[in-house]
Amino acid sequence: MKIDKKVLIAGCGGMLGEAVYQSFNSQYENVLATDIDLNVPWLKYMDVREFDQCEKVFEEFKPDIVLNLAALTDLEYCEKNHENSWLTNALGTENIALLAEKYKCTMVYISTAGIFGGEQDFYTDFDAPNPLSHYAKSKYYGERFVLERVSKIFVFRAGWMMGGGLQKDKKFINKLYKQITAGKKEIFVVDDKLGTPTYTVDFADAISKVIKTDYYGLYNQVCGGSCSRYDVAIDFIHHLKLVDQVKVTKVDSDYFKKEYFAPRPHSEKLVNLKLEKRGINFMRDWKVCLQEYSQVFVEDYYKK
Ligand SMILES: NC(=O)c1ccc[n+]([C@@H]2O[C@H](COP(=O)([O-])OP(=O)(O)OC[C@H]3O[C@@H](n4cnc5c(N)ncnc54)[C@H](OP(=O)(O)O)[C@@H]3O)[C@@H](O)[C@H]2O)c1
């Protein structure tokens, strides 16, 4: 039997939203998924920058739980468009937080490993953020606001997101895949950026489990293990069975400094210290998750 609660999801049209919708819709009686990009029929329009528009949705739907996934996640876009990034990532989060408090909802906010400065090898939930880019600064602002203002709040920090498949994945895996399907025989990948992949399917299911506890607060929630971008590329090519056809060449970040000009930390490796200690760490190892996620691309590649 489904849980008799109403769940409102903002920014649900993206790579994480796909997994969050599938997970929550299978468990809850009433899910309202919203975005400004209505790319699937189950999405309704709601712009988190517009308080009155959001309030109307809260007033009509009366959610018990609200998840704010809405964000501008392209770091270079955010560097070039400060105002819209802050209005979306920070003010949009304020709007949802104020309404969550007013309508007495449990709120979930998604933050990022990118809020750290990269000086340490890895970061626990207790380490001090030092955001470098406009994206990271606006996301960190959102963290602080929701933690101060919302009583029933869960903040989950994700690492390098993997998920959403061919249509929705805007990040590293799909960027690699697009180069491969475009016929590239050599791919250049940085090995001086370290992090922790985060599989959207595990992340979404884990959110749904953790919020059933009363352990409100801030959590690092990434897959087990850690790696460089190069390590991820090597595994992905291996799963695609293209080791002999596609060469992966290590470069440092300078190689991409024109294309990826936003500042990024050297290390954004997270460990799920609090989830572990509370016995609620549901995330699998990144290698297992990448193998599972790669099957979407394997199927697509070999049907061509
Ligand atoms: N991707 C990562 O590597 C990563 C890592 C750590 C944390 N996160 C966080 O995870 C959450 C989900 O991101 P994602 O990876 O699923 O990124 P995504 O695919 O870009 O999804 C974000 C969604 O929010 C939408 N959106 C943008 N402005 C909006 C607005 N004003 N009102 C409502 N919706 C709006 C986007 O629409 P458009 O496509 O039209 O912009 C997009 O559909 C975000 O909070 C992000 O900061 C992401």
Side-chain angles (χ1 to χ4, degrees), residues 168-182:
K168 294 198 176 182
D169 185 341
K170 298 172 180 164
K171 296 288 175 172
F172 187 63
I173 299 294
N174 210 13
K175 285 180 183 174
L176 289 177
Y177 188 65
K178 283 180 179 159
Q179 291 184 57
I180 293 164
T181 51

Side-chain angles (χ1 to χ4, degrees), residues 152-163:
K152 293 187 284 178
I153 181 70
F154 289 95
V155 175
F156 295 102
R157 288 181 183 145
W160 295 339
M161 208 72 93
M162 331 187 273

Side-chain angles (χ1 to χ4, degrees), residues 14-16 35 47-48 69 73 110-111 135 139 159 161 170:
M15 51 195 287
L16 177 59
D35 203 292
D47 184 339
V48 295
L69 320 181
T73 56
I110 312 302
S111 190
Y135 169 71
K139 292 296 294 180
M161 208 72 93
K170 298 172 180 164

Side-chain angles (χ1 to χ4, degrees), residues 7-259:
V7 182
L8 171 62
I9 312 171
C12 199
M15 51 195 287
L16 177 59
E18 182 67 27
V20 168
Y21 180 75
Q22 299 308 336
S23 177
F24 278 75
N25 199 40
S26 69
Q27 298 180 57
Y28 286 85
E29 204 66 63
N30 203 341
V31 175
L32 177 59
T34 64
D35 203 292
I36 52 169
D37 178 9
L38 304 184
N39 51 45
V40 281
W42 42 261
L43 284 169
K44 298 277 178 291
Y45 193 85
M46 186 177 84
D47 184 339
V48 295
R49 293 166 298 186
E50 302 297 332
F51 184 85
D52 292 349
Q53 198 186 98
C54 297
E55 177 149 44
K56 200 159 168 274
V57 175
F58 272 76
E59 185 51 39
E60 282 171 12
F61 186 62
K62 298 201 167 40
D64 301 293
I65 301 168
V66 58
L67 296 93
N68 184 25
L69 320 181
L72 291 170
T73 56
D74 180 324
L75 271 68
E76 278 63 40
Y77 174 90
C78 290
E79 286 305 298
K80 285 197 284 193
N81 301 275
H82 300 176
E83 187 171 305
N84 197 20
S85 317
W86 282 88
L87 291 180
T88 306
N89 300 350
L91 186 83
T93 300
E94 277 194 13
N95 289 341
I96 300 299
L98 293 171
L99 290 165
E101 197 54 12
K102 181 169 173 186
Y103 288 82
K104 299 187 174 20
C105 311
T106 295
M107 179 175 176
V108 173
Y109 171 68
I110 312 302
S111 190
T112 168
I115 58 159
F116 290 109
E119 311 85 353
Q120 294 177 206
D121 180 29
F122 65 88
Y123 293 89
T124 77
D125 320 61
F126 301 111
D127 286 312
N130 174 24
L132 304 176
S133 65
H134 278 280
Y135 169 71
K137 286 175 187 169
S138 59
K139 292 296 294 180
Y140 180 49
Y141 178 94
E143 263 193 16
R144 281 180 298 156
F145 191 88
V146 298
L147 288 165
E148 273 167 29
R149 296 296 290 271
V150 184
S151 328
K152 293 187 284 178
I153 181 70
F154 289 95
V155 175
F156 295 102
R157 288 181 183 145
W160 295 339
M161 208 72 93
M162 331 187 273
L166 286 102
Q167 303 306 324
K168 294 198 176 182
D169 185 341
K170 298 172 180 164
K171 296 288 175 172
F172 187 63
I173 299 294
N174 210 13
K175 285 180 183 174
L176 289 177
Y177 188 65
K178 283 180 179 159
Q179 291 184 57
I180 293 164
T181 51
K184 285 217 172 158
K185 296 291 169 225
E186 184 174 18
I187 292 180
F188 298 91
V189 182
V190 299
D191 72 340
D192 60 354
K193 289 285 182 279
L194 309 173
T196 329
T198 304
Y199 186 33
T200 55
V201 173
D202 280 40
F203 191 77
D205 282 340
I207 292 174
S208 79
K209 288 178 180 150
V210 175
I211 67 169
K212 286 176 189 140
T213 72
D214 288 332
Y215 297 136
Y216 298 108
L218 166 83
Y219 294 96
N220 289 354
Q221 184 168 271
V222 293
C223 283
S226 61
C227 52
S228 68
R229 293 284 190 192
Y230 176 78
D231 299 329
V232 177
I234 290 288
D235 265 30
F236 184 57
I237 302 290
H238 169 78
H239 295 314
L240 283 172
K241 300 184 177 57
L242 294 174
V243 176
D244 297 330
Q245 285 100 301
V246 179
K247 185 178 174 205
V248 184
T249 301
K250 282 182 195 176
V251 292
D252 63 29
S253 297
D254 268 0
Y255 184 88
F256 290 111
K257 68 180 179 220
K258 280 212 178 93
E259 203 176 339

